Amino acid sequence: SIIKLRVDAYSAVEDWVLGTMHIQHRYETPNDMGRPWLAEFVGCCRIPDLKNNANQPFGLRAEVDLQRSSMSPRAASLPMITVPLRDANGMLPSAFIPTLAGNTEARWSSTSPFYVGNAIHLAPMSYVSVPLGPFYMNYAQGHDCSVSRAGPGCLYQILAGKMMGQSLTTEGWVKLMAPMGGYVLRTGRDPMVACPNAPMQSVQCDLSTYFIKLTDTHVTVGHHNASSGDMIMVDFATKANYTGKWMHLAVARRGTGMTNCPQGEESVTYEVFVDGMPLWQVGLPDTQIQQYCASYTEDQAARYGAVLFGEDMAGLDEWRIWNGYRSSFAVNEMKSEIIRPQKEAVIGDLSAEGVSDTVPILVALYDFDYMCPLSTAPGAECAIMEVTPVYPKESTLPTGFLKANYTGHVRGNAMTEMPDNQGGVSWETAVADDFTSAGMNGQIYFNTKHGPGMYQITLSLAMSDGAAKVPLDFIVNVLDTSYNMSENAFSLCPNPGPSNPCNFVGNHWVPSISFWTAIRPEMEGMEAWITEPRDNIPWSEISSYAYPATLKVYAGFQFMIDVYGVDKQADGQTQVGFAVSSLPPGMTMMASHASDVAKASLTWRPCMHDLGSHVICMSAVDWHGNSVTSTASPMQCLRLHVMADPAPRFHRVHELTQLDDITLTIGRTTVIQLTASDSNCFDRVMVDWATPYVAGAEQPPGAELHAEDHTLLDGQCVVTRRQMSWTPAYNHGGWMREVCFVARDTGGQCSGDMPKMDVHCLMFSVRRCVFAVQPDQELQEVAGGYHTDWMGLWAL
């Protein structure tokens, strides 16, 4: 289908596009009967240049459970991240992947690049049993392979019947528990079922009509002789020790298609493939085949028999039984593919009837996937009691035959297990083994065991309680570099040679990126405020405050960050540009290029609807001409946390602001200090009378507020000092009022922003009948203010 999206960012040099696509879907219930709804994006194929998972399909799955979380966590990253093969300290390469999960901490985990389900882990002496009785009954009623090549009767016939000459292929993934090994798959008596006492019946009950045995060095395929119980088998050396490791094992039987072992010359050949590679091809002697057929009684084998999976094996995954011979090419083509026959539009119905008899047909598929109970803790494994096959589908079964007859019953103890992620089974992780999910700051270490090149990474991100799990999928480009201490840069291809070819001929250095702005660090060291540059807060390089640190900004005020990309290869032809992730709405970037140095200016004025955290990620990308392979700097990200603009505040300490109520004397001038500040360094603070802003506030008659002083205090960036002076007049005796002052800011530059203020009030009291005479002031002047003469005052 055609994907339509809004392009948010792109890199022509690195060949990627980052966009947003909106799909709206209404769920009828908050979750799927207690389990999360699943939203999937699937397709094919990944690029062929990857060191892992090349040409593989992709399948990204998100979980939706509105009862547990009303939002999903988000991660910010460029689609392609560049890292050196070893960092400056010689450690594994890593990158910080920023996360946004509301007010909670996000939980990371490693996951597969497409859905692979789980495997089954079997405890010692444990196995999975599928009883053969119902299949024999269907076969005995005439539903053999000539009637239905994929039916239950045919499954019995090719595995446990006399029809040894029928071609058969069994294949799947297995993990060996111990060197001595055991049976990967066999037909025979379920050890939990007792055999009859009659000697002949007991032999028939115990025999295995088909088995695959695996040790640390050999694969053995064979049958029991129906009369003596002796083994008829062929042995194959594996050429490697697979103890504790996952391996793909396929056994293909090529027969003549003989029916019920007729007399005469017959031919049965077995071929074994380990990890898709053929070991050998061996034919069974015809005399052994005839001896087996002549003495075999199907009724006894079926009555007590079963198909047994995994006896003394550590794990199984994706086991398939085919009616027909599958070649080495066919085995290799699909061994790492997750087959789901129900998705016919994708892969077709692999069990379709009516195809040529020479085409192998899928008869049964056990993927061993198991859905754990709701009570299982996130990320924990759970016990498996039964195994249900993916195929056959209910619709393909004969009338009256239940799919439940295909159910495998666990004997002993079995648990779910994460499938192999080392490239053996279906996919290979490039995340280092010491990756953990608890309390992560988003630093991911990469496993670069295949050397320099591109690796595919898929991670899973969830809320702190494991809810709302979403995938993050990107590419890591690992560069062959050496750190040059004198240049403080990574040089490319330090040791080129025949065994280590350089893919960057003409490109000598990895570019670097740096961020510059004015900041005011917090005491904790992982947070800082972006501020307006001034004498005590200069413009400086702030890469030490890249993610996981936090840069705080206030809504309503514009700020700027300069970004520099530098390439040491200053040869006059070098150009440097930038790769940028999605920018927050309203943020602008203006870039300029000047050969080996590039500059970009990020400008943003967040508003109240932008409150919360936002992340931008960037890298510097060089260009030396179309014939030279470009490189990018390691990605750096900034987390910008937008907060509401705070109100200014008075400094309510005696040294800075008058705190106590004031008693004044007529004729004596009283001066008080008022000091206010704002933690928003882009703001301005004004100290004024509260009269215009506070209802009922009064201003002392004749009082004066003097000019503002903006001398900074330690640790502050916006400070306003102001003095008030008042000399009560002759008629102010007994004047008592509450006098208020306000510290008021500008309010911000976004639509609807209003100034914020802090109010500071004091009680002013003027003493009655007390007058302070000033030096050189005549008594007659004082008397005049009270409409008397000096003799009247003297007489008081």
Side-chain angles (χ1 to χ4, degrees):
S1 60
I2 298 176
I3 296 177
K4 295 182 179 180
L5 51 79
R6 183 192 72 220
V7 176
D8 298 320
Y10 71 93
S11 173
V13 173
E14 295 180 291
D15 193 22
W16 56 257
V17 172
L18 181 66
T20 303
M21 178 175 63
H22 293 277
I23 299 176
Q24 187 170 353
H25 179 78
R26 179 180 178 83
Y27 292 100
E28 295 299 326
T29 56
N31 55 41
D32 185 12
M33 299 179 65
R35 299 184 183 278
W37 294 109
L38 301 178
E40 290 184 315
F41 178 57
V42 298
C44 196
C45 298
R46 297 188 183 275
I47 60 176
D49 302 327
L50 293 171
K51 292 288 186 176
N52 66 325
N53 306 327
N55 301 308
Q56 290 276 33
F58 55 84
L60 306 179
R61 170 179 289 186
E63 297 181 357
V64 178
D65 187 340
L66 298 178
Q67 284 189 340
R68 295 184 64 189
S69 179
S70 60
M71 62 174 291
S72 298
R74 292 183 294 130
S77 171
L78 296 173
M80 181 177 292
I81 297 174
T82 298
V83 295
L85 185 60
R86 288 288 184 270
D87 66 14
N89 299 314
M91 305 297 290
L92 280 176
S94 67
F96 283 101
I97 309 297
T99 60
L100 301 172
N103 295 323
T104 67
E105 190 174 63
R107 171 188 287 183
W108 286 100
S109 60
S110 182
T111 189
S112 59
F114 55 97
Y115 182 70
V116 297
N118 59 264
I120 186 172
H121 174 78
L122 295 163
M125 307 297 291
S126 302
Y127 56 93
V128 178
S129 173
V130 182
L132 277 173
F135 297 87
Y136 170 70
M137 293 299 297
N138 186 260
Y139 163 75
Q141 292 168 2
H143 299 286
D144 60 12
C145 293
S146 64
V147 176
S148 173
R149 292 187 61 210
C154 187
L155 175 64
Y156 171 83
Q157 189 175 14
I158 60 177
L159 280 179
K162 285 187 177 182
M163 199 172 178
M164 279 184 60
Q166 177 66 39
S167 295
L168 163 71
T169 303
T170 52
E171 61 171 322
W173 293 92
V174 58
K175 183 160 65 172
L176 191 61
M177 181 182 298
M180 67 182 67
Y183 291 100
V184 180
L185 181 150
R186 74 177 178 95
T187 60
R189 178 177 67 89
D190 185 335
M192 299 291 290
V193 179
C195 272
N197 295 325
M200 186 57 199
Q201 288 183 328
S202 181
V203 171
Q204 291 280 348
C205 172
D206 270 327
L207 69 81
S208 177
T209 56
Y210 177 71
F211 67 79
I212 304 171
K213 190 173 184 180
L214 175 66
T215 70
D216 59 342
T217 57
H218 285 77
V219 178
T220 304
V221 183
H223 316 261
H224 281 122
N225 187 304
S227 58
S228 65
D230 296 334
M231 285 190 179
I232 304 169
M233 61 184 184
V234 289
D235 198 53
F236 303 83
T238 60
K239 304 177 183 178
N241 187 338
Y242 286 91
T243 304
K245 301 176 183 177
W246 284 97
M247 62 181 289
H248 186 268
L249 179 61
V251 176
R253 182 173 74 197
R254 193 200 301 264
T256 60
M258 58 187 176
T259 304
N260 291 330
C261 300
Q263 299 297 316
E265 294 294 323
E266 304 295 347
S267 175
V268 174
T269 302
Y270 279 104
E271 195 169 355
V272 172
F273 308 94
V274 172
D275 289 337
M277 300 299 295
L279 297 185
W280 202 250
Q281 183 172 297
V282 179
L284 289 180
D286 294 333
T287 54
Q288 291 186 352
I289 297 172
Q290 294 304 323
Q291 185 183 24
Y292 167 83
C293 292
S295 59
Y296 172 58
T297 305
E298 292 174 329
D299 174 63
Q300 291 294 331
R303 188 176 302 174
Y304 306 98
V307 180
L308 307 174
F309 292 94
E311 293 174 282
D312 295 314
M313 295 293 115
L316 298 170
D317 201 8
E318 293 287 333
W319 270 86
R320 307 158 187 175
I321 301 173
W322 303 82
N323 179 359
Y325 169 83
R326 285 173 61 76
S327 65
S328 174
F329 174 80
V331 169
N332 267 302
E333 185 181 34
M334 299 186 71
K335 70 182 179 67
S336 295
E337 184 175 337
I338 306 301
I339 297 178
R340 295 295 179 265
Q342 64 269 33
K343 296 182 179 180
E344 298 178 17
V346 179
I347 64 172
D349 190 344
L350 298 178
S351 62
E353 300 288 348
V355 298
S356 170
D357 290 346
T358 61
V359 176
I361 286 184
L362 186 66
V363 180
L365 166 58
Y366 291 86
D367 62 0
F368 298 102
D369 289 355
Y370 186 78
M371 186 174 290
C372 291
L374 292 172
S375 58
T376 306
E381 307 297 344
C382 64
I384 299 177
M385 307 304 295
E386 291 183 339
V387 174
T388 303
V390 174
Y391 188 82
K393 299 178 288 186
E394 196 83 47
S395 59
T396 64
L397 295 175
T399 302
F401 197 92
L402 302 177
K403 185 173 180 178
N405 292 328
Y406 284 83
T407 298
H409 306 281
V410 173
R411 309 297 194 196
N413 297 300
M415 300 286 290
T416 56
E417 179 181 3
M418 287 297 295
D420 173 59
N421 64 2
Q422 298 304 307
V425 179
S426 56
W427 67 287
E428 180 181 358
T429 183
V431 178
D433 292 338
D434 58 357
F435 176 84
T436 59
S437 63
M440 287 204 57
N441 57 14
Q443 186 173 20
I444 312 298
Y445 287 88
F446 305 113
N447 182 348
T448 57
K449 64 182 181 181
H450 299 301
M454 290 190 292
Y455 292 80
Q456 184 271 325
I457 304 290
T458 304
L459 298 169
S460 181
L461 185 63
M463 307 300 277
S464 58
D465 62 353
K469 188 179 294 183
V470 294
L472 175 66
D473 196 282
F474 58 95
I475 291 176
V476 170
N477 189 16
V478 180
L479 301 180
D480 182 12
T481 60
S482 176
Y483 183 70
N484 188 311
M485 293 185 63
S486 62
E487 294 287 347
N488 191 26
F490 287 96
S491 62
L492 287 162
C493 301
N495 300 300
S499 61
N500 187 32
C502 180
N503 297 320
F504 300 95
V505 176
N507 193 348
H508 307 307
W509 297 94
V510 178
S512 62
I513 189 170
S514 60
F515 296 94
W516 292 71
T517 191
I519 62 170
R520 182 163 55 92
E522 293 276 87
M523 294 297 293
E524 291 80 3
M526 290 297 288
E527 294 184 349
W529 291 93
I530 294 181
T531 181
E532 190 174 59
R534 51 188 66 197
D535 292 342
N536 65 332
I537 307 177
W539 202 261
S540 60
E541 202 268 337
I542 61 161
S543 292
S544 59
Y545 285 92
Y547 187 89
T550 299
L551 294 171
K552 297 179 180 180
V553 296
Y554 285 119
F557 295 86
Q558 181 171 293
F559 65 91
M560 178 182 291
I561 300 173
D562 284 338
V563 189
Y564 288 91
V566 179
D567 194 302
K568 295 290 184 180
Q569 191 168 328
D571 53 9
Q573 298 181 349
T574 299
Q575 293 185 23
V576 180
F578 297 101
V580 189
S581 67
S582 301
L583 298 177
M587 178 178 282
T588 61
M589 184 180 84
M590 182 171 292
S592 60
H593 307 276
S595 66
D596 55 313
V597 178
K599 178 185 176 182
S601 295
L602 302 172
T603 304
W604 191 29
R605 183 179 63 204
C607 295
M608 288 298 292
H609 58 264
D610 297 311
L611 294 182
S613 291
H614 304 262
V615 173
I616 56 172
C617 297
M618 298 183 65
S619 63
V621 184
D622 64 16
W623 185 83
H624 305 277
N626 294 331
S627 61
V628 178
T629 303
S630 296
T631 60
S633 69
M635 179 183 73
Q636 287 225 44
C637 301
L638 298 179
R639 174 164 56 190
L640 303 172
H641 189 72
V642 182
M643 303 182 69
D645 178 38
R649 62 184 181 87
F650 280 102
H651 284 263
R652 290 177 171 86
V653 294
H654 287 285
E655 295 81 4
L656 300 175
T657 299
Q658 177 71 33
L659 299 181
D660 301 326
D661 294 340
I662 304 172
T663 300
L664 301 96
T665 302
I666 299 171
R668 177 179 294 164
T669 301
T670 298
V671 178
I672 67 171
Q673 181 80 18
L674 299 167
T675 305
S677 68
D678 197 315
S679 58
N680 181 355
C681 297
F682 288 97
D683 214 340
R684 295 291 179 270
V685 178
M686 291 144 282
V687 175
D688 206 346
W689 301 108
T691 309
Y693 309 105
V694 179
E698 292 196 33
Q699 181 177 333
E704 181 181 1
L705 281 174
H706 299 280
E708 294 179 341
D709 173 15
H710 298 289
T711 304
L712 296 181
L713 299 172
D714 290 341
Q716 301 295 327
C717 56
V718 177
V719 175
T720 298
R721 288 189 180 91
R722 206 163 186 188
Q723 289 183 336
M724 185 223 75
S725 63
W726 186 32
T727 306
Y730 306 105
N731 59 344
H732 290 158
W735 193 89
M736 180 181 293
R737 300 286 191 280
E738 185 179 55
V739 178
C740 295
F741 307 90
V742 294
R744 181 171 57 91
D745 66 10
T746 62
Q749 303 154 6
C750 292
S751 175
D753 285 350
M754 298 294 292
K756 289 165 283 294
M757 62 185 69
D758 185 22
V759 179
H760 181 59
C761 297
L762 300 169
M763 182 62 71
F764 280 44
S765 301
V766 181
R767 291 189 292 175
R768 296 177 182 272
C769 304
V770 177
F771 188 94
V773 179
Q774 301 301 313
D776 300 325
Q777 188 177 20
E778 296 182 357
L779 191 60
Q780 184 61 43
E781 178 185 346
V782 176
Y786 292 100
H787 307 289
T788 186
D789 55 23
W790 68 271
M791 295 182 64
L793 288 179
W794 190 262
L796 292 176

